[in-house]
Amino acid sequence: MMSFSQFFSSSIGRKLIMSMTGLFLCLFLIVHLGGNLTLFAGDEGYTFNIYAHFMTHFPPVEIAGYILYISILVHAFYALMLTLANKKARPVKYAVASKAPVRWASLNMGLLGSIIFLFLIIHMSNFWGRYKFLEGTYREYRTDLQNGKMTNSVYQPTSPEFEYSVTTENNIEIVRVKDLYEIVTTSFSIWWYVLLYLFAMVAVSYHMYHGFQSAFRTVGVVHKKYTPIIQATGIWFFAVIIPLLFASMPIIFYIKSL
Protein backbone atom coordinates (compact mmCIF):
# COMPACT_ATOMS: atom_id res chain seq x y z
CA MET A 1 0.00 0.00 0.00
CA MET A 2 1.26 3.48 -0.87
CA SER A 3 2.26 5.57 2.13
CA PHE A 4 0.89 9.03 2.87
CA SER A 5 4.13 10.74 1.80
CA GLN A 6 4.42 8.61 -1.33
CA PHE A 7 0.86 9.46 -2.36
CA PHE A 8 1.37 13.22 -2.09
CA SER A 9 4.68 13.00 -3.95
CA SER A 10 3.04 11.07 -6.79
CA SER A 11 1.49 12.67 -9.85
CA ILE A 12 -2.03 11.94 -8.60
CA GLY A 13 -1.25 13.32 -5.15
CA ARG A 14 0.24 16.50 -6.60
CA LYS A 15 -2.80 17.04 -8.79
CA LEU A 16 -5.08 16.52 -5.78
CA ILE A 17 -3.16 19.12 -3.75
CA MET A 18 -3.30 21.55 -6.68
CA SER A 19 -7.04 20.98 -7.02
CA MET A 20 -7.78 21.55 -3.33
CA THR A 21 -5.60 24.65 -3.05
CA GLY A 22 -6.99 25.90 -6.36
CA LEU A 23 -10.60 25.60 -5.16
CA PHE A 24 -9.65 27.43 -1.96
CA LEU A 25 -8.14 30.22 -4.06
CA CYS A 26 -11.41 30.37 -6.04
CA LEU A 27 -13.23 31.04 -2.78
CA PHE A 28 -10.69 33.76 -1.97
CA LEU A 29 -11.35 35.41 -5.34
CA ILE A 30 -15.04 35.75 -4.48
CA VAL A 31 -14.34 37.24 -1.02
CA HIS A 32 -11.63 39.54 -2.35
CA LEU A 33 -13.85 40.76 -5.17
CA GLY A 34 -16.70 41.49 -2.78
CA GLY A 35 -14.42 43.59 -0.59
CA ASN A 36 -12.84 45.42 -3.51
CA LEU A 37 -16.20 46.36 -4.97
CA THR A 38 -16.62 48.70 -1.98
CA LEU A 39 -14.26 50.96 -3.94
CA PHE A 40 -17.39 51.97 -5.86
CA ALA A 41 -19.38 52.86 -2.73
CA GLY A 42 -19.06 56.57 -3.54
CA ASP A 43 -18.06 57.54 0.01
CA GLU A 44 -14.47 58.70 -0.62
CA GLY A 45 -13.08 55.33 0.44
CA TYR A 46 -14.77 55.13 3.85
CA THR A 47 -16.26 51.65 3.39
CA PHE A 48 -13.16 50.34 1.62
CA ASN A 49 -10.79 51.65 4.31
CA ILE A 50 -12.92 50.11 7.07
CA TYR A 51 -12.92 46.83 5.14
CA ALA A 52 -9.12 46.99 4.70
CA HIS A 53 -8.58 47.60 8.42
CA PHE A 54 -10.88 44.71 9.33
CA MET A 55 -9.15 42.32 6.93
CA THR A 56 -5.70 43.11 8.34
CA HIS A 57 -6.52 43.29 12.06
CA PHE A 58 -9.27 40.74 12.82
CA PRO A 59 -7.37 37.62 14.06
CA PRO A 60 -9.50 34.92 12.32
CA VAL A 61 -9.21 36.79 9.02
CA GLU A 62 -5.46 37.25 9.52
CA ILE A 63 -5.09 33.49 10.11
CA ALA A 64 -7.12 32.82 6.95
CA GLY A 65 -4.80 35.23 5.16
CA TYR A 66 -1.71 33.26 6.14
CA ILE A 67 -3.45 30.05 5.02
CA LEU A 68 -4.08 31.82 1.73
CA TYR A 69 -0.40 32.74 1.30
CA ILE A 70 0.62 29.16 2.02
CA SER A 71 -1.98 27.89 -0.45
CA ILE A 72 -0.62 30.17 -3.17
CA LEU A 73 2.93 28.96 -2.59
CA VAL A 74 1.91 25.29 -2.44
CA HIS A 75 -0.26 25.64 -5.56
CA ALA A 76 2.59 27.31 -7.45
CA PHE A 77 5.18 24.79 -6.24
CA TYR A 78 3.18 21.72 -7.24
CA ALA A 79 2.24 23.33 -10.54
CA LEU A 80 5.95 23.75 -11.28
CA MET A 81 6.67 20.16 -10.27
CA LEU A 82 3.92 18.81 -12.52
CA THR A 83 4.99 21.00 -15.44
CA LEU A 84 8.60 19.80 -15.17
CA ALA A 85 7.48 16.18 -14.80
CA ASN A 86 5.29 16.45 -17.90
CA LYS A 87 8.11 17.98 -19.94
CA LYS A 88 10.48 15.23 -18.79
CA ALA A 89 7.97 12.50 -19.62
CA ARG A 90 7.20 14.00 -23.03
CA PRO A 91 10.18 16.11 -24.20
CA VAL A 92 8.91 16.18 -27.79
CA LYS A 93 5.60 17.85 -28.55
CA TYR A 94 2.87 15.99 -30.39
CA ALA A 95 3.48 15.93 -34.14
CA VAL A 96 -0.22 15.59 -34.85
CA ALA A 97 -2.99 17.34 -32.97
CA SER A 98 -5.39 15.20 -31.00
CA LYS A 99 -8.72 14.51 -32.62
CA ALA A 100 -10.44 15.93 -29.59
CA PRO A 101 -10.30 19.73 -29.38
CA VAL A 102 -7.78 20.78 -26.74
CA ARG A 103 -8.20 24.26 -25.32
CA TRP A 104 -5.26 26.65 -25.44
CA ALA A 105 -5.68 27.33 -21.72
CA SER A 106 -5.19 23.67 -20.78
CA LEU A 107 -1.92 23.55 -22.71
CA ASN A 108 -0.56 26.74 -21.13
CA MET A 109 -1.57 26.48 -17.48
CA GLY A 110 2.07 26.72 -16.42
CA LEU A 111 2.61 29.95 -18.35
CA LEU A 112 -0.66 31.44 -17.13
CA GLY A 113 0.09 30.47 -13.55
CA SER A 114 3.56 32.04 -13.76
CA ILE A 115 2.09 35.32 -15.03
CA ILE A 116 -0.46 35.35 -12.20
CA PHE A 117 2.17 34.49 -9.58
CA LEU A 118 4.47 37.32 -10.69
CA PHE A 119 1.52 39.71 -10.72
CA LEU A 120 0.57 38.68 -7.18
CA ILE A 121 4.07 39.50 -5.95
CA ILE A 122 3.91 42.97 -7.51
CA HIS A 123 0.30 43.51 -6.49
CA MET A 124 0.74 42.48 -2.86
CA SER A 125 3.95 44.49 -2.53
CA ASN A 126 2.24 47.57 -3.89
CA PHE A 127 -0.96 47.36 -1.86
CA TRP A 128 -0.72 45.02 1.12
CA GLY A 129 3.00 45.63 1.70
CA ARG A 130 2.75 49.41 1.59
CA TYR A 131 -0.42 49.43 3.67
CA LYS A 132 0.83 47.01 6.33
CA PHE A 133 4.47 47.94 6.76
CA LEU A 134 5.08 51.43 5.41
CA GLU A 135 3.95 54.65 7.00
CA GLY A 136 1.06 55.75 4.83
CA THR A 137 -1.54 58.48 4.93
CA TYR A 138 -4.54 58.48 7.25
CA ARG A 139 -8.02 59.84 6.70
CA GLU A 140 -10.56 61.23 9.09
CA TYR A 141 -14.27 60.77 8.35
CA ARG A 142 -16.79 62.90 10.25
CA THR A 143 -20.43 61.81 10.05
CA ASP A 144 -23.31 63.86 11.40
CA LEU A 145 -25.46 61.26 13.14
CA GLN A 146 -28.59 63.36 12.68
CA ASN A 147 -28.55 63.79 8.91
CA GLY A 148 -25.91 61.23 7.85
CA LYS A 149 -23.79 63.85 6.08
CA MET A 150 -20.14 62.87 5.87
CA THR A 151 -17.00 64.93 5.38
CA ASN A 152 -13.42 63.72 5.21
CA SER A 153 -9.92 65.09 5.42
CA VAL A 154 -6.32 63.93 5.78
CA TYR A 155 -5.45 63.00 9.36
CA GLN A 156 -1.99 63.16 10.93
CA PRO A 157 -1.63 60.70 13.83
CA THR A 158 0.09 61.93 16.98
CA SER A 159 1.54 58.47 17.66
CA PRO A 160 3.45 56.16 15.28
CA GLU A 161 1.52 53.20 16.76
CA PHE A 162 -1.85 54.64 15.73
CA GLU A 163 -3.99 52.38 13.53
CA TYR A 164 -7.69 53.09 13.93
CA SER A 165 -10.13 54.92 16.19
CA VAL A 166 -13.85 55.68 16.46
CA THR A 167 -15.11 58.47 18.70
CA THR A 168 -18.24 60.60 19.02
CA GLU A 169 -18.21 64.32 19.74
CA ASN A 170 -21.33 66.50 19.81
CA ASN A 171 -23.34 63.95 17.83
CA ILE A 172 -20.55 63.69 15.25
CA GLU A 173 -19.01 60.26 14.69
CA ILE A 174 -15.29 60.55 13.96
CA VAL A 175 -13.52 57.63 12.30
CA ARG A 176 -9.76 57.80 11.77
CA VAL A 177 -8.21 55.04 9.69
CA LYS A 178 -5.24 54.26 7.46
CA ASP A 179 -5.97 55.28 3.88
CA LEU A 180 -5.57 52.32 1.52
CA TYR A 181 -8.05 54.01 -0.80
CA GLU A 182 -5.45 56.68 -1.55
CA ILE A 183 -2.89 54.01 -2.48
CA VAL A 184 -5.43 52.41 -4.82
CA THR A 185 -6.41 55.66 -6.54
CA THR A 186 -2.76 56.64 -6.98
CA SER A 187 -1.76 53.23 -8.38
CA PHE A 188 -4.70 53.12 -10.79
CA SER A 189 -3.77 56.51 -12.19
CA ILE A 190 -0.53 55.03 -13.59
CA TRP A 191 -1.12 53.76 -17.12
CA TRP A 192 1.46 50.96 -17.11
CA TYR A 193 0.17 49.57 -13.81
CA VAL A 194 -3.36 49.57 -15.20
CA LEU A 195 -2.16 47.67 -18.28
CA LEU A 196 -0.29 45.20 -16.07
CA TYR A 197 -3.43 44.65 -14.01
CA LEU A 198 -5.57 44.10 -17.11
CA PHE A 199 -3.02 41.70 -18.60
CA ALA A 200 -3.06 39.71 -15.35
CA MET A 201 -6.86 39.55 -15.44
CA VAL A 202 -6.70 38.05 -18.94
CA ALA A 203 -4.33 35.41 -17.55
CA VAL A 204 -6.70 34.78 -14.62
CA SER A 205 -9.59 34.36 -17.05
CA TYR A 206 -7.82 31.73 -19.14
CA HIS A 207 -6.44 30.02 -16.03
CA MET A 208 -9.88 29.75 -14.46
CA TYR A 209 -11.47 28.71 -17.76
CA HIS A 210 -9.65 25.40 -17.55
CA GLY A 211 -8.61 25.20 -13.91
CA PHE A 212 -11.99 25.34 -12.15
CA GLN A 213 -13.59 22.42 -13.94
CA SER A 214 -10.30 20.51 -14.00
CA ALA A 215 -10.11 20.71 -10.18
CA PHE A 216 -13.51 19.05 -9.83
CA ARG A 217 -12.54 16.30 -12.25
CA THR A 218 -9.37 15.64 -10.26
CA VAL A 219 -11.27 15.20 -6.98
CA GLY A 220 -13.69 12.85 -8.73
CA VAL A 221 -16.73 15.09 -9.13
CA VAL A 222 -17.86 13.93 -12.57
CA HIS A 223 -21.57 13.49 -13.13
CA LYS A 224 -23.77 14.00 -16.17
CA LYS A 225 -26.12 16.17 -14.07
CA TYR A 226 -23.57 18.34 -12.23
CA THR A 227 -20.63 18.53 -14.64
CA PRO A 228 -22.41 20.94 -17.04
CA ILE A 229 -23.20 23.21 -14.06
CA ILE A 230 -19.57 23.11 -12.94
CA GLN A 231 -18.38 23.87 -16.47
CA ALA A 232 -20.81 26.79 -16.85
CA THR A 233 -19.76 28.17 -13.45
CA GLY A 234 -16.09 27.91 -14.34
CA ILE A 235 -16.55 29.59 -17.71
CA TRP A 236 -19.13 32.30 -17.08
CA PHE A 237 -18.60 33.14 -13.42
CA PHE A 238 -14.89 32.54 -12.79
CA ALA A 239 -13.49 33.10 -16.29
CA VAL A 240 -15.76 35.97 -17.42
CA ILE A 241 -17.66 37.79 -14.67
CA ILE A 242 -14.98 37.84 -11.94
CA PRO A 243 -12.08 38.97 -14.19
CA LEU A 244 -14.31 41.62 -15.81
CA LEU A 245 -15.34 43.02 -12.43
CA PHE A 246 -11.73 43.11 -11.25
CA ALA A 247 -10.69 44.76 -14.53
CA SER A 248 -13.39 47.42 -14.16
CA MET A 249 -11.63 48.85 -11.10
CA PRO A 250 -8.37 50.07 -12.70
CA ILE A 251 -10.23 51.14 -15.85
CA ILE A 252 -12.75 53.32 -14.00
CA PHE A 253 -10.21 54.81 -11.61
CA TYR A 254 -7.81 55.57 -14.45
CA ILE A 255 -10.55 57.32 -16.44
CA LYS A 256 -11.47 59.34 -13.34
CA SER A 257 -7.83 60.39 -12.92
CA LEU A 258 -7.60 61.90 -16.41
Side-chain angles (χ1 to χ4, degrees):
M1 181 178 291
M2 184 181 296
S3 68
F4 184 82
S5 60
Q6 287 177 324
F7 174 76
F8 283 105
S9 63
S10 67
S11 177
I12 296 176
R14 291 171 180 173
K15 289 180 179 179
L16 180 61
I17 291 174
M18 280 193 62
S19 298
M20 298 305 295
T21 54
L23 290 173
F24 175 72
L25 294 176
C26 288
L27 177 62
F28 161 74
L29 274 180
I30 297 173
V31 175
H32 190 52
L33 175 63
N36 281 13
L37 287 176
T38 60
L39 286 167
F40 299 138
D43 53 10
E44 297 297 325
Y46 172 81
T47 305
F48 180 72
N49 282 334
I50 296 298
Y51 156 75
H53 178 81
F54 173 79
M55 294 296 288
T56 54
H57 291 82
F58 186 55
V61 175
E62 288 189 281
I63 293 172
Y66 288 115
I67 295 174
L68 168 69
Y69 307 145
I70 294 172
S71 297
I72 292 173
L73 292 175
V74 170
H75 191 80
F77 174 76
Y78 278 95
L80 176 63
M81 295 292 290
L82 283 170
T83 300
L84 294 177
N86 289 338
K87 286 184 177 296
K88 184 177 180 180
R90 190 174 62 248
V92 180
K93 294 183 179 181
Y94 290 121
V96 180
S98 172
K99 292 182 180 179
V102 181
R103 298 185 179 93
W104 181 87
S106 66
L107 297 176
N108 292 276
M109 291 295 281
L111 173 63
L112 294 169
S114 298
I115 293 172
I116 296 170
F117 186 72
L118 290 174
F119 169 74
L120 285 175
I121 294 175
I122 298 172
H123 184 65
M124 292 180 68
S125 299
N126 185 51
F127 290 112
W128 183 81
R130 289 170 62 189
Y131 177 79
K132 189 74 174 177
F133 300 110
L134 298 181
E135 183 178 352
T137 59
Y138 290 78
R139 190 153 293 273
E140 179 181 277
Y141 298 93
R142 291 177 172 263
T143 304
D144 189 322
L145 298 179
Q146 289 186 331
N147 56 30
K149 184 178 180 181
M150 177 187 291
T151 60
N152 71 91
S153 60
V154 175
Y155 173 71
Q156 184 60 48
T158 57
S159 169
E161 288 78 29
F162 178 84
E163 289 285 346
Y164 173 79
S165 69
V166 180
T167 58
T168 302
E169 298 177 5
N170 300 321
N171 215 34
I172 301 295
E173 182 186 67
I174 304 172
V175 177
R176 298 177 175 123
V177 64
K178 207 167 190 179
D179 196 2
L180 180 59
Y181 184 79
E182 174 63 24
I183 296 176
V184 171
T185 55
T186 301
S187 298
F188 287 162
S189 67
I190 304 171
W191 67 268
W192 63 263
Y193 190 82
V194 171
L195 289 180
L196 173 66
Y197 197 101
L198 297 179
F199 180 69
M201 290 307 104
V202 173
V204 168
S205 177
Y206 276 104
H207 197 74
M208 297 301 297
Y209 183 82
H210 172 74
F212 184 78
Q213 50 191 299
S214 176
F216 279 93
R217 286 198 301 269
T218 299
V219 298
V221 181
V222 180
H223 191 278
K224 63 179 181 179
K225 181 178 180 181
Y226 301 115
T227 296
I229 298 175
I230 293 171
Q231 290 176 338
T233 302
I235 294 172
W236 292 108
F237 184 66
F238 283 101
V240 176
I241 295 175
I242 285 184
L244 281 177
L245 288 174
F246 272 114
S248 68
M249 300 171 195
I251 292 175
I252 292 175
F253 275 85
Y254 182 74
I255 293 174
K256 289 171 63 176
S257 71
L258 297 177

